[in-house]
């Protein structure tokens, strides 16, 4: 793999969301920045809303469509697979045709697919519509990251990614609660009706406010061959691939927590569903809070690579502690030590996730859409692999969860040290400040 970054980008001030070139007064710039944050945050919230609002309805869907639970579970799997595959399709498209057209096309298809889900007559058709929903919903994820790369650089980009976590971190927590409340007044089809309305409103806001951020002179004119060559060149960049793998393994540790925690907390340690919901909410608040501390306090003062290394170390320590406790090294332990370890692990993601996105995209201003697609797809794929591994040893031990989490943390650290090589001042500095405080 080559060590050279493909290109750099100049630092940018806050751009006007309306597309006009005139400088805006400070108050207008703040309103513009808030609107942009809400729009991009809404786009990144679409996937967790699509997945998690539907979770409380799964038993009802099984009964209503007269299908086995395993078949109905495929409605989740296909949606997740669609989101992973869709990013690989939409990302390069946005590098060729700009951000706005593929995004609006994807959002319109998402709205139509979600509406069709509400009228699905059987599980097989629902699975097909959920796949289409995931493919189209991927446009919001991948293009939101690409838009951030188009508009921001260095410190500003790192801070913006941390701010986006405030929305994307809250969405998975509130989505099941919203879904549960919807089911109190309607059936499972009503969940998709609400998602359709949300998608329609977001599409309207995007159409009216988010103008093109990729000028024609920076677009790619090639077809499939150039797209594949671009992705090959991105993956050939050792440092970019390092950050990609660091983020993917870190996200896999988070996915292991999401998949196993209901079983571990409730079945093994005897907590009530209410206690589990409280702990899950506290952990999510921890992730969002640390992400905000990272964006507001650390970025610009502490090198991003040091922030990332600290986050990975904390995840590895938390995984080690969880493995020792769950395997009985310290004797019988109750719920609260386990909960403390899970809190440290999840909160540390607030340091890891924004940093990996920023450091990877700093190296790819010429192909932000393709780079964003690779980042997103890798996290979804490794996350989907990690999820089933947490139950491999049965229903009476939390050891598999801890093993997967620790293994992912160790692999992330190995990629960080072996591929990113943060001690080399020449690596990862592209787009950073002169003293290296953004990226080293």
């Amino acid at each position: 793999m080559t060590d050279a970054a493909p290109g750099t980008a100049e630092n940018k001030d806050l751009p006007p969301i309306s597309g006009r070139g005139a400088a805006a007064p400070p108050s207008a710039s703040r309103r513009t920045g808030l609107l942009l944050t809400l729009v991009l945050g809404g786009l990144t919230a679409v996937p967790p809303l699509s997945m998690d609002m539907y979770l409380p309805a799964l038993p009802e869907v099984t009964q209503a469509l007269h299908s086995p639970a395993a078949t109905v579970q495929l409605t989740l799997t296909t949606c997740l697979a669609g989101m992973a595959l869709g990013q690989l399709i939409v990302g390069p498209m946005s590098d060729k045709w700009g951000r706005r057209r593929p995004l609006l096309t994807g959002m319109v298809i998402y709205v139509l697919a979600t509406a069709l889900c509400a009228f699905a007559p059987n599980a097989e058709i629902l699975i097909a519509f959920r796949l289409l929903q995931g493919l189209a919903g991927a446009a919001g994820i991948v293009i939101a990251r690409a838009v951030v790369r188009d508009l921001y650089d260095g410190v500003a980009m790192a801070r913006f990614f941390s701010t986006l976590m405030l929305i994307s971190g809250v969405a998975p927590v509130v989505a099941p609660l919203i879904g549960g409340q919807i089911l109190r007044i309607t059936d499972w089809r009503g969940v998709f009706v609400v998602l359709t309305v949300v998608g329609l409103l977001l599409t309207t806001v995007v159409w009216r406010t988010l103008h093109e951020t990729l000028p024609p002179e920076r677009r790619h004119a090639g077809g499939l061959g150039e797209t594949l060559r671009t992705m090959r060149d991105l993956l050939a960049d050792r440092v970019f691939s390092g950050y990609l793998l660091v983020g993917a393994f870190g996200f896999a540790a988070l996915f292991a927590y999401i998949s196993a925690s209901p079983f571990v907390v409730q079945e093994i340690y005897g907590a009530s569903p209410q206690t589990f919901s409280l702990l899950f909410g506290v952990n999510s608040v921890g992730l969002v809070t640390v992400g905000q501390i990272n964006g507001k306090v650390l970025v610009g003062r502490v090198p991003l690579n040091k922030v990332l290394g600290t986050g990975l170390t904390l995840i590895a320590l938390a995984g080690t502690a969880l493995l020792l406790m769950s395997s009985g090294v310290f004797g019988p332990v109750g719920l609260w030590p386990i909960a403390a370890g899970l809190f440290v692990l999840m909160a540390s993601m607030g340091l890891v996730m924004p940093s990996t996105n920023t450091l990877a995209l700093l190296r790819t201003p010429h192909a932000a859409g393709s780079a964003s697609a690779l980042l997103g797809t890798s996290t979804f794929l490794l996350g989907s692999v990690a999820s089933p591994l947490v139950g491999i040893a049965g229903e009476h031990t939390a050891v598999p969860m801890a093993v997967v989490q620790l293994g992912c943390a160790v692999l992330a650290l190995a990629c960080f040290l072996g591929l990113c090589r943060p001690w080399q001042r020449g690596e990862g500095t592209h787009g950073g400040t002169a003293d290296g405080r953004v990226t080293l």
Side-chain angles (χ1 to χ4, degrees), residues 42-61:
L43 292 173
T44 59
V46 165
L49 288 176
S50 301
M51 296 290 293
D52 298 343
M53 275 182 64
Y54 175 64
L55 292 178
L58 284 178
E60 183 180 331
V61 176

Side-chain angles (χ1 to χ4, degrees), residues 257 261-280 283 322 325 332-343 398 401:
Y257 160 78
S261 59
F263 164 73
V264 170
V265 172
Q266 296 180 79
E267 299 297 327
I268 297 179
Y269 291 97
S272 66
Q274 292 74 25
T275 300
F276 165 73
S277 299
L278 176 63
L279 291 177
F280 193 91
N283 289 347
L322 288 167
M325 288 188 289
V333 296
L335 171 62
W336 298 111
I338 296 292
L342 292 173
F343 176 83
M401 178 191 72

Side-chain angles (χ1 to χ4, degrees), residues 22-370:
S27 60
S29 295
R30 284 193 294 270
R31 290 194 298 271
T32 296
L34 176 61
L35 178 58
L36 181 64
T37 301
L38 293 176
V39 171
L40 297 184
L43 292 173
T44 59
V46 165
L49 288 176
S50 301
M51 296 290 293
D52 298 343
M53 275 182 64
Y54 175 64
L55 292 178
L58 284 178
E60 183 180 331
V61 176
T62 301
Q63 296 176 2
L65 298 183
H66 307 289
S67 297
T71 301
V72 174
Q73 285 286 347
L74 288 176
T75 62
L76 296 176
T77 304
T78 52
C79 186
L80 183 64
M83 289 178 184
L85 178 61
Q87 293 185 68
L88 287 177
I89 298 172
V90 178
M93 288 172 58
S94 73
D95 284 337
K96 180 177 180 180
W97 291 311
R99 314 302 185 203
R100 182 175 165 84
R101 196 191 320 175
L103 176 58
L104 287 172
T105 302
M107 292 302 298
V108 169
I109 296 174
Y110 171 85
V111 170
L112 294 175
T114 306
L116 290 172
C117 287
F119 297 98
N122 55 56
E124 290 73 21
I125 293 180
L126 179 60
I127 289 170
F129 288 153
R130 287 283 280 176
L131 175 63
L132 181 61
Q133 184 190 37
L135 286 167
I141 317 172
V142 66
I143 293 181
R145 275 195 303 261
V147 167
V148 174
R149 184 62 188 98
D150 292 340
L151 301 181
Y152 296 98
D153 205 358
V155 170
M157 181 165 58
R159 286 177 175 161
F160 200 96
F161 275 127
S162 294
T163 302
L164 282 184
M165 286 192 62
L166 182 61
I167 300 175
S168 59
V170 169
V173 180
V174 302
L177 301 177
I178 297 173
Q181 294 305 309
I182 293 172
L183 292 176
R184 292 171 64 92
I185 59 176
T186 184
D187 61 5
W188 66 272
R189 298 181 189 275
V191 175
F192 288 108
V193 172
V194 172
L195 283 172
T196 301
V197 173
V198 170
L200 185 61
L201 291 174
L202 186 57
T203 303
T204 302
V205 172
V206 169
W207 175 66
R208 290 177 61 90
T209 63
L210 187 63
H211 289 240
E212 184 57 61
T213 61
L214 186 68
E217 62 271 15
R218 290 174 52 196
R219 298 178 190 176
H220 294 187
L224 178 61
E226 181 174 342
T227 296
L228 294 176
R229 284 192 296 272
T230 298
M231 289 190 170
R232 180 198 62 193
D233 292 342
L234 289 172
L235 294 174
D237 176 16
R238 171 176 55 78
V239 181
F240 172 82
S241 292
Y243 289 125
L244 179 147
L245 291 172
V246 169
F249 282 120
F251 194 76
L254 178 61
F255 242 70
Y257 160 78
I258 293 172
S259 300
S261 59
F263 164 73
V264 170
V265 172
Q266 296 180 79
E267 299 297 327
I268 297 179
Y269 291 97
S272 66
Q274 292 74 25
T275 300
F276 165 73
S277 299
L278 176 63
L279 291 177
F280 193 91
V282 168
N283 289 347
S284 299
V285 170
L287 185 152
V288 171
T289 301
V290 172
Q292 295 311 294
I293 292 173
N294 179 35
K296 305 298 184 183
V297 179
L298 300 181
V299 170
R301 296 181 176 89
V302 181
L304 275 187
N305 271 323
K306 288 186 178 180
V307 173
L308 177 55
T310 300
L312 293 174
T313 301
L314 289 172
I315 293 173
L317 291 175
T320 301
L322 288 167
L323 180 58
L324 293 175
M325 288 188 289
S326 60
S327 60
V329 172
F330 301 129
V333 296
L335 171 62
W336 298 111
I338 296 292
L342 292 173
F343 176 83
V344 172
L345 184 142
M346 192 166 181
S348 301
M349 296 294 174
L351 302 176
V352 172
M353 294 164 65
S355 300
T356 52
N357 281 333
T358 302
L359 288 164
L361 290 175
L362 277 171
R363 300 182 66 84
T364 60
H366 69 300
S370 297

